[in-house]
Amino acid sequence: MSTQGYEDELRSEREYVAELYARLDAERARVKARHKAALLGTGGTALERDDEVRALGREAKRLAVADNGLCFGRLDTVRDERLYIGRIGLFDEEDDYKPVLLDWRAPASRPFYVATGANPEGMRRRRQFHTRGRVIVEYTDEDLGRPGDDAQGDAALLAAVNAPRGEGMRDIVATIQSEQDEIIRLDQPGVLVIEGGPGTGKTVVALHRVAYLLYTQRERMERHGVLVVGPNPAFLNHISRVLPSLGESDVVFMTPGDYVPGLHVTAEDTPEAARLKGSRTIVDVLKAAIADRQQLPDEPIPIELSGLTLRIDASVAEWAVEEARASDLPHNEARDVFTDIITYVLTERAIGRLTKGWLTRNDKEEWESQRAHLVKQLAENDRFTEAINELWPLLTPQTLLGPLLESKARLGRAGADPALYRARGDAWTVSDVPLLDELVDLLGRDKTADRLAAAAEARARREAAEYAEGVMGMLELDREEISEDFTLLAKDVVNAMSLAERQDEVDTRDLAERAAADRDWTYRHVVVDEAQELSEMDWRVLMRRCPNRSFTIVGDLAQRRSVYGARSWQEMLAPYAADRWIYRSLTVNYRTPAEIMAVAASVLAEFAPGTQPPDSVRASGVAPWSRKVTADELPDAIEEFVRAEAGREGTSVVIGPPGTPGTVPASETKGLEFDAVLVVDPDKILADGPRGAAELYVALTRATQRLGVLHQGPLPTALAGLTER
């Protein structure tokens, strides 16, 4: 195409995209107006109004994110049709809702990502736009249908992977590759495992898969939402913009330290304690610890009742314990059974002694009357309540686990390893959180608290109703006796109370807020990133959160650092989805230049021989380097790197052994990427525990452009390929 022809075509495309933005702005204004009207509306039930407001709110969010790269490409079919591809779908209402912009997730958009010269998918050209704001800067064309020409948007892809990194992960909606697209659109109702080495895009593929599922299964998924689990807060912050940028907001992000609402835990256990707590066998310890709190009295407990002294002795308590345990109810719910047995024995004995034998069970009505009277007295008897609390206490996960971990005696009685002991039991660690979640089910709810809360709510509603009736009664008085202002005020009071009641009935929080605050919430789909790090107990938590077993699991077994993590996907998933999971791998490294990957591959070969590193899609032309420094020179060398990178566009990080000043541990950079990385003391990283080699592998593969290494001791042999400075 001539220069003039290119400019004319570029002008035409700019005009088309400008029309798309005009449609987008008009649609935004329409939805905003409807949303405002819905907020002020009074028709229908409160639940119907709430649903409408939420639906319009979601639509407004979907339209709000489309400004950045609304339209990023075009397909020309062999029948000379033009299909424009973008972040969302737009339609011409005046032309029978003909699509003027196809959503990237629509089936008709798929050739944009998978068509090749050998398999053109009915297309003759793929055009990719490079935009700045709302304006197309340039475009590139790719002719299809010529065997042997299998380029798939290399120009756009290389521009994306070479671009400086910002503060968060970017979506890849404009540059999805064929290997990735196949996984994103995979029709798998159960568990999908995506494994890939560093830089293969497994995380961003999983997030785009969520966006695709929400698009294709909206009705099934939107009322329950999606849970995304990542290794640490920094990682979640890094990826948290991807789904909103694709128009999806019904997503909850959490780390394993956030499983229990109200807790946000980041502290780590010792490796041995973490290993013990991560094993499924810890459930037996928890059950034994609960049983240990179900006591028999050392001495009979006297209870004063109707002038009599009755006793709760060991034999009575033992019978009550046996019946309560036989009920198979959780501990707190079984307490009612325990209490009922104790109550039965004491009241039976009391009736016999009070009536001196003249009353028999044949006089059923009198017997039950006597019994009801005694039961009421026991319920109001403080010593009886104290006795029940001593023998079968109400427990929360925290009041069970904390005292257990800080008591060697309790740990011993529960059959636990002494390595679990710590001086302060409630100094929670990430490994404790799955145990606290498990205890929610083992302990059950405190029905006493539920009953008190229900009674308080009923009392408040009754008082509100009585007050409203009083106000309405006053309105029935002779109007001459009541001023007009007072009448209006009274009506406002009643209307306000009615509104408050509706708000009590309808939860106005958005889905993500409600789900995150509700431990019993179940999700339609769960994404687990860095899944190789999760323990058996972590998986028990997540399976409870998603009973239909719909998961996208992302990880790399070669990067596992935790002592309790997965050694094989089959081993970890067999108890939950033995025949409902499939495996897919990503083999192309889009992040790490070939020069850096060659160094990292040498480390991989030492600790995971036989594992194939991913193939880098590009070379940077910049050789990774190493430099030996003394302890005195190290701080200045780090500062020199920081100053040099501060003058460049992009991001950088200094990674070192835990506790090294001026550095962050490799574990805190998992899943992140930086333009430049400086690794400090790689020999000490290698020596830091059994998974030190995996930590070093992670550190080396965070860089997208430049890698340097500072070492005080001997350079590990695996890093011999570095250029010495």
Side-chain angles (χ1 to χ4, degrees):
M1 183 182 296
S2 67
T3 301
Q4 185 59 48
Y6 181 90
E7 291 298 328
D8 290 344
E9 187 74 3
L10 179 60
R11 186 179 305 108
S12 175
E13 297 291 31
R14 285 173 173 169
E15 290 174 356
Y16 188 89
V17 170
E19 291 177 4
L20 292 178
Y21 275 110
R23 289 180 183 275
L24 175 66
D25 291 340
E27 182 68 6
R28 281 175 173 167
R30 185 181 67 83
V31 171
K32 183 178 180 180
R34 288 185 58 199
H35 187 247
K36 183 178 180 179
L39 287 171
L40 298 174
T42 57
T45 66
L47 185 59
E48 289 170 343
R49 291 193 301 275
D50 183 60
D51 284 344
E52 183 181 13
V53 168
R54 284 179 174 158
L56 290 169
R58 285 193 297 268
E59 180 67 5
K61 288 180 181 178
R62 184 183 77 91
L63 296 173
V65 301
D67 252 348
N68 182 23
L70 171 63
C71 177
F72 49 77
R74 188 184 97 187
L75 284 171
D76 294 351
T77 74
V78 293
R79 297 189 299 274
D80 288 331
E81 297 172 310
R82 292 183 176 182
L83 307 175
Y84 286 86
I85 315 299
R87 291 181 173 276
I88 63 173
L90 293 175
F91 304 89
D92 187 344
E93 297 181 10
E94 298 179 358
D95 190 8
D96 199 24
Y97 283 88
K98 176 184 176 182
V100 293
L101 182 66
L102 288 173
D103 192 297
W104 67 273
R105 294 164 289 194
S109 299
R110 190 169 184 269
F112 187 79
Y113 302 109
V114 302
T116 67
N119 296 290
E121 303 276 339
M123 304 296 151
R124 64 180 182 83
R125 180 184 295 122
R126 172 171 40 226
R127 174 170 291 178
Q128 292 179 303
F129 299 143
H130 303 270
T131 60
R132 184 176 297 117
R134 290 188 165 200
V135 178
I136 300 176
V137 177
E138 61 179 355
Y139 68 83
T140 57
D141 278 346
E142 188 181 344
D143 291 330
L144 302 169
R146 296 183 298 183
D149 182 6
D150 284 345
Q152 295 186 40
D154 289 345
L157 173 64
L158 291 175
V161 298
N162 280 315
R165 265 46 186 178
E167 295 184 354
M169 178 179 283
R170 296 168 296 192
D171 65 65
I172 59 170
V173 63
T175 58
I176 294 171
Q177 300 300 290
S178 179
E179 179 185 57
Q180 299 169 327
D181 186 79
E182 179 186 352
I183 294 173
I184 289 170
R185 299 174 190 266
L186 195 62
D187 183 17
Q188 164 60 12
V191 178
L192 168 64
V193 175
I194 306 173
E195 184 162 27
T200 54
K202 52 188 179 293
T203 297
V204 75
V205 166
L207 296 175
H208 282 68
R209 174 169 166 77
V210 169
Y212 176 76
L213 292 174
L214 286 168
Y215 175 80
T216 58
Q217 303 177 27
R218 179 76 60 190
E219 185 175 345
R220 186 179 73 87
M221 297 182 69
E222 68 178 354
R223 288 191 177 275
H224 292 263
V226 173
L227 171 64
V228 177
V229 178
N232 54 58
F235 175 82
L236 292 183
N237 182 61
H238 180 63
I239 70 171
S240 62
R241 304 174 190 176
V242 174
L243 283 167
S245 76
L246 298 173
E248 304 300 346
S249 58
D250 291 340
V251 181
V252 175
F253 295 89
M254 67 173 60
T255 72
D258 303 324
Y259 293 150
V260 177
L263 282 182
H264 176 66
V265 181
T266 58
E268 298 274 351
D269 254 315
T270 64
E272 179 61 9
R275 183 188 67 81
L276 293 167
K277 292 176 183 177
S279 170
R280 278 193 297 267
T281 58
I282 196 70
V283 176
D284 294 330
V285 171
L286 298 179
K287 291 178 179 178
I290 293 172
D292 182 54
R293 301 293 290 271
Q294 299 162 356
Q295 298 287 311
L296 302 180
D298 294 329
E299 298 291 337
I301 300 174
I303 304 294
E304 299 296 326
L305 182 64
S306 287
L308 301 174
T309 299
L310 305 171
R311 287 175 173 78
I312 304 174
D313 55 32
S315 62
V316 171
E318 185 175 20
W319 178 28
V321 167
E322 290 174 353
E323 291 293 327
R325 291 176 178 173
S327 70
D328 287 331
L329 292 170
H331 169 86
N332 288 333
E333 296 173 28
R335 173 184 158 110
D336 284 348
V337 179
F338 177 85
T339 304
D340 288 346
I341 295 296
I342 300 292
T343 300
Y344 170 80
V345 172
L346 294 184
T347 55
E348 288 287 304
R349 290 177 178 176
I351 292 172
R353 291 173 57 183
L354 287 170
T355 63
K356 298 184 175 9
W358 62 262
L359 181 64
T360 68
R361 282 187 170 276
N362 292 331
D363 193 346
K364 184 176 180 180
E365 184 174 341
E366 180 63 24
W367 189 282
E368 290 303 323
S369 175
Q370 288 275 353
R371 177 174 162 75
H373 177 68
L374 293 170
V375 167
K376 186 175 184 298
Q377 286 189 53
L378 277 180
E380 298 170 351
N381 187 309
D382 290 341
R383 184 63 189 106
F384 178 74
T385 300
E386 291 173 5
I388 297 297
N389 288 337
E390 291 169 11
L391 301 177
W392 197 286
L394 287 168
L395 297 170
T396 67
Q398 288 84 350
T399 58
L400 185 284
L401 187 60
L404 172 67
L405 296 176
E406 66 186 19
S407 169
K408 294 179 180 179
R410 288 187 191 275
L411 287 169
R413 293 196 297 270
D417 192 299
L420 293 180
Y421 170 78
R422 66 181 178 224
R424 182 181 165 189
D426 62 356
W428 305 122
T429 66
V430 173
S431 302
D432 292 326
V433 178
L435 277 57
L436 292 169
D437 188 79
E438 186 82 26
L439 284 167
V440 173
D441 286 347
L442 293 178
L443 293 174
R445 299 190 181 280
D446 176 1
K447 289 191 172 182
T448 302
D450 288 347
R451 285 194 292 267
L452 291 174
E457 182 179 354
R459 185 168 56 254
R461 288 186 179 278
R462 186 168 58 253
E463 291 172 355
E466 291 171 354
Y467 180 71
E469 287 177 4
V471 173
M472 293 301 294
M474 294 178 67
L475 292 177
E476 296 300 322
L477 296 175
D478 190 331
R479 290 186 178 275
E480 294 181 358
E481 298 179 14
I482 304 178
S483 70
E484 182 178 353
D485 288 342
F486 183 81
T487 302
L488 293 174
L489 175 62
K491 288 182 177 179
D492 286 343
V493 170
V494 176
N495 289 336
M497 293 179 62
S498 178
L499 176 61
E501 184 174 339
R502 290 203 306 270
Q503 290 176 337
D504 286 341
E505 294 172 354
V506 179
D507 193 334
T508 58
R509 295 172 298 173
D510 65 28
L511 183 143
E513 291 174 319
R514 286 180 288 134
D518 185 354
R519 183 265 174 186
D520 295 324
W521 189 278
T522 57
Y523 298 88
R524 276 291 182 262
H525 193 77
V526 176
V527 176
V528 187
D529 210 328
E530 299 294 342
Q532 74 278 355
E533 306 295 350
L534 298 193
S535 70
E536 292 174 330
M537 291 302 293
D538 286 316
W539 285 111
R540 286 174 67 89
V541 174
L542 296 179
M543 292 298 168
R544 282 193 287 269
R545 299 294 191 273
C546 189
N548 67 330
R549 304 291 191 262
S550 179
F551 282 77
T552 298
I553 294 172
V554 181
D556 180 11
L557 295 179
Q559 294 187 60
R560 178 179 63 84
R561 63 176 288 270
S562 65
V563 294
Y564 49 67
R567 288 171 172 78
S568 81
W569 302 118
Q570 171 64 30
E571 177 184 338
M572 197 60 78
L573 294 173
Y576 311 105
D579 57 352
R580 293 191 63 228
W581 72 279
I582 61 175
Y583 174 90
R584 293 292 185 272
S585 64
L586 292 168
T587 60
V588 179
N589 187 333
Y590 301 99
R591 176 177 68 217
T592 316
E595 297 90 341
I596 297 176
M597 198 62 218
V599 176
S602 298
V603 176
L604 179 66
E606 288 201 357
F607 78 92
T611 301
Q612 183 67 32
D615 296 324
S616 294
V617 76
R618 67 190 173 97
S620 67
V622 179
W625 55 268
S626 65
R627 175 181 163 194
K628 187 168 185 178
V629 295
T630 65
D632 291 337
E633 294 171 334
L634 181 60
D636 289 340
I638 293 176
E639 182 59 28
E640 178 186 335
F641 169 83
V642 172
R643 280 198 310 269
E645 289 302 327
R648 290 182 165 131
E649 188 178 4
T651 60
S652 63
V653 69
V654 181
I655 302 175
T660 302
T663 74
V664 298
S667 59
E668 294 183 15
T669 67
K670 295 201 75 170
L672 308 183
E673 55 184 31
F674 306 88
D675 290 87
V677 172
L678 181 67
V679 178
V680 175
D681 289 332
D683 54 323
K684 294 180 181 178
I685 296 176
L686 278 171
D688 185 26
R691 301 300 298 178
E695 294 280 82
L696 181 57
Y697 181 61
V698 169
L700 295 172
T701 54
R702 298 307 94 194
T704 67
Q705 302 290 344
R706 300 173 295 280
L707 172 67
V709 173
L710 297 177
H711 59 104
Q712 300 178 72
L715 192 67
T717 56
L719 303 184
L722 294 171
T723 300
E724 186 70 25
R725 284 189 177 180

